[in-house]
Amino acid sequence: MTSRAPRSILALLVALGLAACENEQRTIAYTLGQPWQGDGGVWFYPAESFSDDRTGLAAVRGPDQPAFTADNERYDPDLLTAAHQTLQLPAIVRVTNLENGLQLAVRVNDRGPTSPARLIALSPRAAALLEIPPAGGTQVRLQVIEADSRRLAESLGGGPPP
């Protein structure tokens, strides 16, 4: 019983280490990005928000993702990451599945979902841990974790002073 928790922590650290090795040719960058057009001609305007707290529908990222995310990380469906239409990249958010109460902190590192009817697009691993089916459409609450997001932004040379 006691060996299960350390193994899962070790597996997470190894996965994060491997992701960092794969990214060594690209520098992860703090970014807001330019306005962009989603489905149905809807425009999204990225802006900093360290206090975002809203509810909506979650999507699950599909298999046809670009190799690199909007903030220059290699996309890995097994990491706890997500895409958001307007938040600063990267940001740390708490996602709560409102249908079962499960919560998970994820790193927002990409743009999306393209549908204005979706609030966030989760990596397959994050969705699985929250028990959100691959088709998505589950009601979630998204809360930016302010302190962690500010520290991350500042470490990458972005974000306003606290």
Side-chain angles (χ1 to χ4, degrees):
M1 280 180 118
T2 58
S3 64
R4 184 174 183 162
R7 281 188 198 161
S8 62
I9 293 169
L10 179 60
L12 178 61
L13 292 174
V14 168
L16 291 173
L18 289 174
C21 291
E22 291 174 357
N23 286 332
E24 63 189 349
Q25 292 183 2
R26 292 208 174 194
T27 302
I28 295 173
Y30 175 89
T31 186
L32 288 177
Q34 298 297 316
W36 61 282
Q37 194 171 22
D39 295 346
V42 174
W43 282 89
F44 298 104
Y45 297 88
E48 281 183 331
S49 176
F50 293 97
S51 61
D52 207 13
D53 184 343
R54 64 176 91 176
T55 60
L57 296 175
V60 180
R61 301 193 77 180
D64 298 328
Q65 299 300 311
F68 289 90
T69 65
D71 73 352
N72 268 341
E73 294 180 59
R74 181 172 291 281
Y75 174 71
D76 183 342
D78 293 323
L79 295 180
L80 303 179
T81 59
H84 190 273
Q85 295 141 341
T86 60
L87 284 175
Q88 67 276 4
L89 302 176
I92 307 298
V93 301
R94 176 182 302 109
V95 179
T96 304
N97 180 334
L98 295 176
E99 296 176 13
N100 62 21
L102 292 174
Q103 294 185 344
L104 186 65
V106 300
R107 190 176 68 251
V108 177
N109 65 352
D110 209 358
R111 288 286 170 235
T114 59
S115 170
R118 300 288 192 245
L119 175 62
I120 191 168
L122 298 164
S123 68
R125 179 67 179 142
L129 290 172
L130 288 167
E131 296 180 1
I132 294 173
T138 301
Q139 281 286 337
V140 297
R141 180 178 181 190
L142 178 147
Q143 299 167 285
V144 174
I145 302 174
E146 182 177 4
D148 293 343
S149 292
R150 282 190 186 278
R151 271 193 298 276
L152 186 55
E154 291 165 9
S155 74
L156 296 172

